Amino acid sequence: MTGTSPRTLADELRSRSDAELAGLLRARADLLSPLPGDLSQLATRAGTRASVLRALERLDAFTLQAAEALAVAPQPCSFPALAALLPGGEDRLPDALTTLRARALLWGRPDAMRLVRTAQELLAPSAARPSSTGLGPSLAETAAGISPSRMQDLLTHAGLPPTHDPVSALAALTALFADQGRLAALLDEAPQGALGALDRLTWGPPYGEVSAHPGPHLRWLLDRGLLMPTGPGTVVLPREVALHLRGGRAHRELRAHPPAPLLRSEHSPDAADAAAAGAVHAALTVVEELLTAWETETPAVLRAGGLGARELKRAAVTLDVAEPEAAFWLELSYAAGLLAGDGAADERYAPTPAYDDWLALAPERRWLRLASAWLTTTRVPGLVGGRDGKGRLLAALGPGLDRGPTAELRRATLRLLAALPPGAAPEPTWVLDRMRWELPRRVTDETRATLCRAALAEAERLGVTGRGALTSFARPLLAEPPDAADPERAAALLAPFLPEPLDHFLLQADLTAVAPGPLRRDLRQAMAVAADIESRGGATVYRFTPDSVRRALDAGWSAADLHAFLAARSRTPVPQPLSYLVDDVARRYGRLRVGAAASYLLCDDESLLTQVVADRRAEGLRMRRIAPTVVISGAPPDTLLERLREYGYAPAAESADGAVLTLPSEPHRTPARTLPEPAPDSPPAADETLLSAAVRAIRAGDHAAGAAPRTPAGRVPDPAGPPPRTAAADTLAALRVAAADGALVRIGYVGADGVATQRILSPVRVEGGFVTAFDHTADEVRTYPLHRITGTAGV
C-alpha cells in the first residue's frame, strides 16, 4: 500500500479492487449472510468475535504465528519490527501478511500495520487466555494497579531518577526494558539464582508463585520490576523482559515452513489406479449386498433413532466385515440417499426408491454417487459405539454423529495427497503433522488425528486412493472451490479401469464355484440365493450346501431350474456330487408343510412326523398330533418354519388350498426421501456470480451512504412511464438474468398500501421467493418479495 495511511479498516476496504473484495468474501463466506449494506457494515462484521474466530481457525501455523507476533508487538507495527520477532521466517512473512490482509485481519501501511482489534484481543496473552507464544502481559498492563510510590521505588532500585507522576515513571521503566544494552547491564548485576528464576518463565508460562517472604534473589527481581506481582503469592514476567531473554523471538519454535513430505512408497499411477479400481468394485458390491439384504430383512429403528447394536453386528456378519467397517457402509449408503427409515409407526430401515435408480447406473456413475456423498457428508462413522457429551450411546444411522469440520478436513487431507507426485503414498504420520501445520486452530489435536486417520482409511476403502496414493479419477473431484469439481471427467477416467462383468463361473468337484472376476448383477444375485460366499477377493468362491439349495427352492426354483442354471452358467462340467446334492434336497423338500391353524404340520410320512413331535428341541413350539399325518402348533407359521429349519428339517409353506408356497417377497422400499443435509459449522463458499453481484451491491451501498463519491458512469436514469407488467415466469427469468449479468432492471412494485410504483434495481440474488438488490431509486440495498413485483422492463 502506498499513499495516505487509512484511518480504519473500512477506509482500507474502499481502496481495494473488486477482485480483492471478492477474495475477502470468498475466504470469509460468513460475511455474506446477510449481505452488508456498504463497506462500513462489511468492516464492522469482519471485526465481530465469531467471524474473526472463524478466520483465525483457517490460518496455517506460520500465518497464525505472524498474527500472534503482531498481537504482542507495539501497535502500529512496522515490517522490520515484526520481522525481528520472527527470525528465520523473513522469506515467508510477506505471504503471511498478504493472507492476513486479504482476510481483513490486518490493515494499514507496511510501516504502520494493525491487527483488527478483535484479533488483537483474541491473540494477545492474558492471565485468563495464555498465548501460544508463551509471553505474558506488557509492563504497562502489569503496572496498572501499582501505587505511585511503588512505581518510584521501582525506578530507584533500577538506578533511574525519580519522576513527578506514575505515567512518566512507567515510561522511564519501559524505555529501560526496551533498551537492550541497559537491560543487559541491569541483569548483569542480578544476584545468584535470579537469572535462573527468570529462565524458568522465559518461554512460558510466564506466571509463577512466590511465598509471602521471597528469597533475596526474588526480592531483587521484584524491586526492579523484572517480575511484577499479579495477586497474593503470584508474579508474572513482563513481556519486554521475556523478549530480551529470548533474543527478541516471539516463538520458541518458528514453524515457517510445512513439514517436508515423507513417502511410504511410490507406485506407477496405473498401478495405484488399478488397485483402487478393485476397491471400487468391492465397494459397489458391498453396498448392493447390504441393501439387497435389507430389502426383506428390514431392521427396526431405535426409539431414540439409529440402528441397534445387534442389528449392526448382523449387518457385519452379512457383509463379512468388522463392525466399524459395516458402520461406514451403512452411513455412506445413508449419506448417498440409498437408505433411510420408512416413516411407519413401527419404523424400519429399508432402501429408498433412489436405490433402484442407482442400480440402473453404470458402475463408474454408481461409484461417483458414493464418492460425492462421502466428500460432503459431515457424519463420522468412527464415533459409532462411543458416547456423546451426555453419556448417551452413539448408534449407527442415529443422531449425534455429525461433526462440522469433517468434510473440510477430509478435503484438506486429500488435497495434501493431490499435491504429491502421481502414485506417491505418504506416511500417515506426515499427513497428521502437515494437517497440524495447515489448520492448527481448526479442531483439537485429538479430533484432527481421528478425522484424518478416518479420511485416509475410508478413501482406501472406497477407491479414492489406491495403495495409499490418490487416484487419477479422484483428482477432478477435489477442485477448489468445490463447485469447480468435474464429476463427468472423474467417471470417464474411472470407466477404463473397471473390468467387464462375467456371465459365467467355474464349478469345482468339492461343491464350490469360482467366479474369476466380477459377475453380472443378475448372475451375482442368483448365486447369492443358490450358494454361500466362502471367500472374496480377485476371485469369489461360492459353496453349495443343503441350506443354500433349500434357499433356492424356497425362492421358487425347481430342481430342474437349478440344474439348468448350473449347466448354462458354468464353463466347467457340473460335478456329480453337486447334481446329487440338488436332487437329494429337492426330494426331501416339502415333505413337511406348514400352514395356519395356529399353525399346523402336514406330512404323509408318519415316521417323520413322529420324529418331529418327539424332538426335545421342539418343545417350545407346543406341537400336538391330531391325526396320523397332522400336527398342530401354538407357534405362528413363520416361527414354525424358521425353528424346524434350524433343527435340520426342510419344511415348505402351504397355502389355504394346500398348494406349496414359495417365499419370495416384494422388496421393501421407503417413500421418496431427500438427501440428508450435511451439517457444516460454517457457511458454504459462494460462487463467482454471487460474489460479483455482492461486491457490486456493497459498492453501490457505499456510494449511497456518501462514503464514496458517485461517478457519472454510476448514474442511472429516473424511472419513467407506467409500471411494467409481465408474466410471473418472465419476471423471474429477467431478474435472474440481471443478477447473473450485473445488469439494471426496471420493476413494477405494489407496496403494502396497494400503491403501484416502479424502481430501478441492480439484483444481487433471487431465491426463496425474494429478490435482494441495490435499489437505485432509494439508494440502498433492499429485499423485495417476488409476489409483489408486477413485471420487469429494460433500463
Side-chain angles (χ1 to χ4, degrees):
M1 293 181 58
T2 59
T4 305
S5 181
R7 295 174 301 167
T8 63
L9 174 61
D11 285 345
E12 178 166 311
L13 292 179
R14 290 187 180 98
S15 69
R16 295 190 183 184
S17 67
D18 287 355
E20 290 172 328
L21 289 178
L24 167 61
L25 298 176
R26 185 184 301 108
R28 298 177 64 177
D30 58 294
L31 301 180
L32 273 172
S33 182
L35 184 69
D38 54 37
L39 288 169
S40 294
Q41 289 186 19
L42 177 62
T44 300
R45 193 175 302 166
T48 59
R49 182 182 178 85
S51 183
V52 170
L53 279 172
R54 282 198 187 98
L56 293 175
E57 286 176 352
R58 286 159 176 81
L59 299 179
D60 64 51
F62 180 70
T63 305
L64 183 61
Q65 286 185 324
E68 290 168 343
L70 273 167
V72 299
Q75 296 289 307
C77 179
S78 66
F79 182 89
L82 180 61
L85 291 170
L86 300 166
E90 295 85 356
D91 59 330
R92 285 287 326 278
L93 188 55
D95 291 339
L97 295 178
T98 298
T99 299
L100 293 173
R101 193 180 297 278
R103 300 186 184 186
L105 296 172
L106 171 71
W107 60 278
R109 292 166 52 92
D111 58 351
M113 298 181 293
R114 295 179 183 271
L115 271 184
V116 171
R117 179 178 300 175
T118 309
Q120 175 88 16
E121 294 170 354
L122 290 170
L123 296 177
S126 68
R129 188 182 55 256
S131 166
S132 63
T133 61
L135 293 169
S138 65
L139 179 63
E141 293 167 335
T142 61
I146 293 181
S147 65
S149 61
R150 177 60 179 160
M151 283 299 302
Q152 296 301 322
D153 290 341
L154 293 178
L155 292 181
T156 301
H157 285 96
L160 298 175
T163 63
H164 298 288
D165 58 79
V167 175
S168 58
L170 177 60
L173 196 60
T174 301
L176 170 63
F177 288 175
D179 188 323
Q180 301 296 314
R182 294 166 62 198
L183 182 57
L186 178 62
L187 291 173
D188 287 341
E189 301 173 3
Q192 184 177 4
L195 294 182
L198 294 181
D199 286 342
R200 287 191 289 273
L201 304 180
T202 297
W203 293 103
Y207 294 90
E209 296 182 357
V210 295
S211 65
H213 303 285
H217 64 292
L218 295 178
R219 172 54 57 192
W220 189 89
L221 296 172
L222 289 167
D223 287 343
R224 288 154 182 80
L226 296 170
L227 286 181
M228 295 291 284
T230 59
T234 61
V235 294
V236 66
L237 180 65
R239 184 185 306 165
E240 294 85 348
V241 179
L243 285 173
H244 172 80
L245 297 172
R246 294 179 176 194
R249 301 177 64 90
H251 299 82
R252 187 169 198 167
E253 178 189 359
L254 195 65
R255 304 178 66 190
H257 301 280
L262 183 60
L263 299 185
R264 182 180 60 191
S265 57
E266 292 187 72
H267 311 280
S268 70
D270 286 346
D273 289 347
V280 168
H281 170 70
L284 299 180
T285 301
V286 166
V287 170
E288 185 176 339
E289 286 181 0
L290 171 67
L291 298 183
T292 299
W294 281 21
E295 286 180 334
T296 52
E297 301 175 4
T298 53
V301 179
L302 296 176
R303 183 177 301 175
L307 186 71
R310 184 176 300 175
E311 296 294 347
L312 176 60
K313 184 174 294 185
R314 186 174 300 173
V317 171
T318 299
L319 301 178
D320 192 24
V321 298
E323 288 182 39
E325 185 174 346
F328 167 72
W329 295 118
L330 288 169
E331 288 290 342
L332 181 62
S333 302
Y334 172 73
L338 308 179
L339 172 68
D342 59 12
D346 180 21
E347 189 172 14
R348 309 187 78 81
Y349 287 112
T352 66
Y355 174 57
D356 297 313
D357 299 332
W358 183 77
L359 288 174
L361 297 174
E364 62 271 17
R365 294 192 173 277
R366 276 186 278 157
W367 173 83
L368 183 61
R369 175 83 173 265
L370 297 179
S372 299
W374 175 70
L375 284 171
T376 57
T377 183
T378 54
R379 293 178 67 82
V380 184
L383 298 177
V384 172
R387 296 191 177 272
D388 63 9
K390 297 182 179 179
R392 295 173 296 198
L393 188 67
L394 296 172
L397 304 178
L401 295 182
D402 280 293
R403 296 294 182 272
T406 301
E408 181 183 346
L409 286 176
R410 185 184 294 125
R411 279 187 169 273
T413 301
L414 295 178
R415 284 199 299 271
L416 293 184
L417 274 62
L420 298 175
E427 285 286 354
T429 53
W430 171 78
V431 175
L432 297 182
D433 290 342
R434 179 62 185 265
M435 287 302 301
R436 191 179 300 115
W437 188 89
E438 294 276 355
L439 297 167
R441 284 177 62 107
R442 188 69 178 92
V443 290
T444 64
D445 287 345
E446 181 181 0
T447 301
R448 185 191 305 107
T450 299
L451 295 180
C452 289
R453 290 193 185 99
L456 294 174
E458 292 166 2
E460 191 75 12
R461 196 176 289 153
L462 189 54
V464 173
T465 59
R467 300 185 180 182
L470 188 69
T471 61
S472 62
F473 48 81
R475 291 176 185 269
L477 300 179
L478 300 177
E480 286 296 328
D483 292 342
D486 189 355
E488 296 297 327
R489 177 167 169 75
L493 289 173
L494 170 61
F497 290 97
L498 296 177
E500 285 293 329
L502 302 177
D503 62 354
H504 65 273
F505 47 78
L506 307 175
L507 290 174
Q508 309 291 313
D510 60 351
L511 299 182
T512 62
V514 177
L519 297 178
R520 276 184 2 198
R521 180 170 178 266
D522 58 340
L523 181 55
R524 187 170 67 251
Q525 289 178 326
M527 288 297 288
V529 173
D532 298 325
I533 296 178
E534 189 167 86
S535 67
R536 305 176 189 271
T540 305
V541 178
Y542 295 87
R543 178 168 293 280
F544 294 92
T545 65
D547 285 342
S548 71
V549 174
R550 177 192 54 75
R551 191 168 63 235
L553 298 175
D554 281 343
W557 294 27
S558 66
D561 293 336
L562 197 49
H563 283 303
F565 167 74
L566 296 174
R569 295 302 184 187
S570 176
R571 289 290 177 88
T572 57
V574 180
Q576 195 174 52
L578 181 55
S579 297
Y580 286 165
L581 175 66
V582 172
D583 292 337
D584 184 56
V585 173
R587 184 166 47 254
R588 293 185 293 111
Y589 181 77
R591 293 173 65 190
L592 286 175
R593 299 185 182 184
V594 173
S599 58
Y600 65 84
L601 269 174
L602 179 65
C603 183
D604 296 332
D605 187 343
E606 297 181 21
S607 62
L608 177 58
L609 208 55
T610 300
Q611 177 185 348
V612 173
V613 173
D615 195 327
R616 290 186 178 181
R617 297 173 297 174
E619 290 179 358
L621 297 176
R622 306 190 303 280
M623 292 190 292
R624 183 166 59 89
R625 197 165 191 161
I626 61 174
T629 59
V630 181
V631 168
I632 62 173
S633 169
D638 55 348
T639 302
L640 187 57
L641 271 169
E642 182 179 352
R643 293 291 180 269
L644 290 177
R645 286 170 177 167
E646 288 178 0
Y647 303 153
Y649 302 101
E654 184 176 80
S655 66
D657 58 4
V660 175
L661 293 175
T662 57
L663 298 179
S665 59
E666 281 295 319
H668 188 53
R669 292 288 183 271
T670 71
R673 292 283 188 264
T674 57
L675 285 173
E677 288 289 336
D681 57 355
S682 57
D687 58 27
E688 295 303 316
T689 301
L690 178 58
L691 289 175
S692 298
V695 171
R696 291 197 310 271
I698 294 171
R699 290 275 196 207
D702 218 44
H703 281 287
R710 182 186 294 275
T711 61
R715 299 181 60 185
V716 298
D718 294 330
R725 291 186 175 275
T726 54
D730 295 337
T731 299
L732 182 61
L735 290 171
R736 284 177 172 167
V737 169
D741 297 342
L744 298 177
V745 63
R746 182 164 60 96
I747 68 167
Y749 181 74
V750 179
D753 55 1
V755 177
T757 59
Q758 54 182 322
R759 304 174 185 277
I760 295 179
L761 307 183
S762 294
V764 175
R765 59 171 174 252
V766 183
E767 61 183 15
F770 293 88
V771 54
T772 301
F774 179 75
D775 187 337
H776 291 273
T777 311
D779 270 346
E780 64 181 2
V781 177
R782 289 185 176 181
T783 299
Y784 295 104
L786 291 174
H787 69 272
R788 290 185 176 273
I789 297 177
T790 62
T792 59
V795 176

